[in-house]
Every structure is written in C-alpha cells, then in structure tokens.
Amino acid sequence: QITTVSGNEFLLQSDIDFLILDWFHAIKNAIDRLPKERSCTSRNLEFKLRRSSSIELLNSLDTESKEPKPEHRKSLIFRLNYSASDTNDRNRVKSRLKKFISRRPSLKTLQEKGLIKDQIFGSHLHLVCEHEKSTVPQFVRLCIKAVEKRGLDVDGIYRVSGNLATIQKLRFVVNQEEKLNLDDSQWEDIHVVTGALKMFFRELPEPLFPYCFFEQFVEAIKIQDNATRIKSIRSLVKKLPRPNYDTMKILFEHLKKIAAKESVNLMSTQSLGIVFGPTLLRPEKETGNMAVHMLYQNQIVELMLSEYSKIFGSEED
C-alpha cells in the first residue's frame, strides 16, 4: 500500500515474494532518482507491502527540513517477518471456506425461498418467457414501445451510446422486478433505453440466434442467388424455438421502422446490421477469422431487415 503526502493511495498485491520486492526496488529507485526539489514532496511517504508472510517495508524521510537529508534518503528500513504459522493460518482459512461453500444453499433453493429473484438480464430467453408466461420478454416490448414513441427521429438511434451508469441502474430495476415505467424522467434519454435493450440481448447466455443455427445462417448468407438465399434464411427462421422466433419477429419489425426513417435518424439497414449483427448472433466458440464472421453477422441482419416481409410473412405472401 502506497500512501502519498497528498492523500493518494495505491494498492499493489501479489502472493509472490520476489515480485513484491521487485516492485519495491523499482519504486524506491524512482524516488531516489527524483530531483531534490521534487524529492521534498515525497517526505512522509509510507510504503507498506503486505502479504501472508507479513512483509513490511517502510521508507521514512525527514519531515522537518525542507529538503530530505542524504542520510535519510538512504535510510531504508526493512522489516521482513516470516512465520511458519502463516502457512498454517492460510490452511485453516482454506479449510473453513471449503466447509462454508459445501454447506451453502443452492441457487435454486434461494430462489424457491424468495431470497434471490429470477433475473431478466443474463437469463436464458426461454426461461424469461416461461416466467412471464409469454413468448416475448415484457422488457423487450416496453423498450420497443418507448423507442417508437420518442426515438424514431433521433439521430443515431441504437448507434449512439447512452450513459452507462444510468443503463446499469435501469438493468438493476428490471432485475429487481420493480414496476418499470420508461416514461419516467430518469429514463428520459432514449439512448439509455436502447442501450439497455442491446445489453439485454448481449447478456443472453445463448444469443437470439441459437448457437446451433449459427453456421447454418452463415452458409445461407453465402448463397449467391438472392431468391434462394432469402428462401434458405426464411426456412431457418421458421425452425427457431418459439420464444426466439417471436422475439426476433417483433424486434426486426421494430428495426424496420427505424430504417424507414433513415433520412432523419441516419440509420440504414446496413447501419443497423453493423450494430445488431454481433449482438444477436455469434458462434459458440470463436474460430477462424473473426472479421469474416462479423461481416456475415452484419449481412444476415441487413438481409432480414431489407427482406422482412418475405422472411417473416405467411406462406401466401
């Protein structure tokens, strides 16, 4: 722990003795190389390095004179206290932690007792839908409604980032199952709403386009003939689980409305593809060229927006 005369505090931590000593010597050498006029500002500097073996290194400079005396600059006090009991202490702590962890109640038990609520962010899509007895999460519907009410004409909608702290606050409110009113003044910035919606999709343990479909969608977008490509994408979409299909349909219908206002909000289908491609579909394990994957991800979203009616319409359409 380093505490400077100005009140700044820094903590450097490691379990490796020689690494701690390297840090100490590096900082000491830096202090020793300071010009005399700058060295004055280093007086009263207390430098402590702690670990389980109780290492303390104290650098004490003259506090009375305006300049540190040469003998004081070199008077570095080392107190190295090693104790065999430290190892025993650590083992006892580990043993107690293991016993505590083995006795802790499961997440399911805590949820059943109502101590931990089911989360919206970070939960599987089908679990959120089952909990709400719906096929589209209520939070997604609320966000879409809010954006269509006051965000269709906003420049850079979905591209511009909202305040992260406010987005995290909104995330907390949603996860606590508090009654959500997106018309409340604290969510006035529509970019906070769009940021939270994108975060919801990013935090799904499995993306809106399930992992097992990723390669199939990539192969479909590679098809050269446009009619065949659309037909192949449509076929894959129809095979998606119901929550994925219904959520995807309502989301893409919404994004299509965003693109229709491109002349005002400057968000084309291509721009929305760039924003939502990596958010909605990604491989389970990153292999090969990530840039190529990203290109296909963007193209898939772009195609599904530009050909929405053919992909999500009825067979008769």
Side-chain angles (χ1 to χ4, degrees):
Q1 178 182 330
I2 306 172
T3 304
T4 67
V5 70
S6 61
N8 293 318
E9 293 185 350
F10 306 89
L11 178 65
L12 307 175
Q13 184 172 341
S14 176
D15 289 331
I16 304 173
D17 287 344
F18 73 82
L19 185 59
I20 294 177
L21 292 174
D22 282 346
W23 290 344
F24 172 74
H25 289 307
I27 296 172
K28 172 186 175 295
N29 291 337
I31 292 173
D32 288 343
R33 288 197 301 271
L34 287 174
K36 287 188 177 181
E37 62 272 14
R38 292 186 62 194
S39 296
C40 308
T41 63
S42 299
R43 63 178 180 270
N44 290 337
L45 176 67
E46 183 179 280
F47 182 28
K48 296 180 181 179
L49 296 180
R50 301 176 181 271
R51 72 175 295 264
S52 55
S53 58
S54 185
I55 299 179
E56 284 195 7
L57 304 146
L58 179 64
N59 182 18
S60 179
L61 298 175
D62 184 23
T63 62
E64 300 297 331
S65 62
K66 291 183 179 180
E67 294 185 3
K69 298 177 182 178
E71 61 269 22
H72 284 158
R73 287 178 59 81
K74 296 179 181 178
S75 64
L76 203 62
I77 302 172
F78 291 85
R79 292 208 301 275
L80 302 174
N81 301 317
Y82 290 89
S83 172
S85 64
D86 291 327
T87 302
N88 295 331
D89 289 341
R90 289 200 302 273
N91 289 337
R92 280 197 294 272
V93 171
K94 287 180 180 178
S95 177
R96 289 175 182 174
L97 283 173
K98 285 180 180 177
K99 288 180 180 178
F100 172 76
I101 292 171
S102 65
R103 291 198 299 265
R104 78 192 191 284
S106 65
L107 176 62
K108 185 177 180 181
T109 301
L110 292 173
Q111 289 174 335
E112 289 174 350
K113 291 182 177 180
L115 298 176
I116 294 181
K117 296 179 179 179
D118 293 327
Q119 303 288 287
I120 302 300
F121 281 75
S123 292
H124 285 275
L125 182 65
H126 71 277
L127 293 178
V128 175
C129 292
E130 285 176 11
H131 175 70
E132 298 180 350
K133 295 179 173 56
S134 172
T135 57
V136 179
Q138 180 66 13
F139 176 67
V140 174
R141 292 185 184 275
L142 289 174
C143 287
I144 288 175
K145 182 179 179 182
V147 175
E148 292 185 358
K149 180 180 179 181
R150 50 193 172 94
L152 291 179
D153 296 336
V154 175
D155 184 3
I157 191 73
Y158 283 112
R159 176 175 51 78
V160 176
S161 300
N163 181 275
L164 183 57
T166 311
I167 291 173
Q168 291 288 6
K169 182 180 178 181
L170 177 54
R171 178 183 186 273
F172 176 80
V173 170
V174 173
N175 272 344
Q176 293 302 306
E177 294 186 334
E178 297 180 21
K179 189 174 181 180
L180 182 63
N181 177 17
L182 290 178
D183 289 329
D184 190 287
S185 60
Q186 61 183 325
W187 320 125
E188 181 180 4
D189 182 3
I190 197 62
H191 297 303
V192 167
V193 177
T194 57
L197 182 60
K198 288 187 293 182
M199 181 180 286
F200 170 80
F201 284 112
R202 277 198 307 271
E203 291 191 3
L204 288 174
E206 186 169 25
L208 187 60
F209 290 71
Y211 288 130
C212 59
F213 282 85
F214 179 79
E215 292 298 337
Q216 297 177 65
F217 273 100
V218 169
E219 291 303 316
I221 201 66
K222 290 179 182 179
I223 298 173
Q224 295 298 314
D225 180 69
N226 190 53
T228 307
R229 181 166 60 239
I230 294 171
K231 185 177 179 181
S232 181
I233 293 287
R234 173 190 170 90
S235 176
L236 289 171
V237 167
K238 296 294 184 183
K239 294 177 183 177
L240 293 172
R242 183 66 184 276
N244 298 71
Y245 177 84
D246 286 356
T247 303
M248 190 180 296
K249 183 176 182 180
I250 193 174
L251 175 65
F252 276 81
E253 182 181 17
H254 165 64
L255 295 179
K256 192 170 179 292
K257 293 177 182 177
I258 298 288
K261 291 273 192 172
E262 178 188 355
S263 60
V264 181
N265 59 38
L266 305 181
M267 291 300 290
S268 63
T269 55
Q270 184 178 17
S271 300
L272 291 168
I274 292 171
V275 171
F276 279 93
T279 299
L280 300 181
L281 70 158
R282 58 185 181 271
E284 188 168 8
K285 294 181 180 179
E286 286 292 350
T287 56
N289 193 326
M290 290 180 62
V292 173
H293 272 167
M294 187 173 293
L295 176 64
Y296 291 139
Q297 290 163 331
N298 300 350
Q299 289 178 348
I300 291 167
V301 171
E302 185 179 349
L303 177 72
M304 291 177 65
L305 284 174
S306 59
E307 302 293 347
Y308 174 86
S309 58
K310 293 181 180 178
I311 292 172
F312 290 97
S314 62
E315 291 293 341
E316 290 74 19
D317 297 340

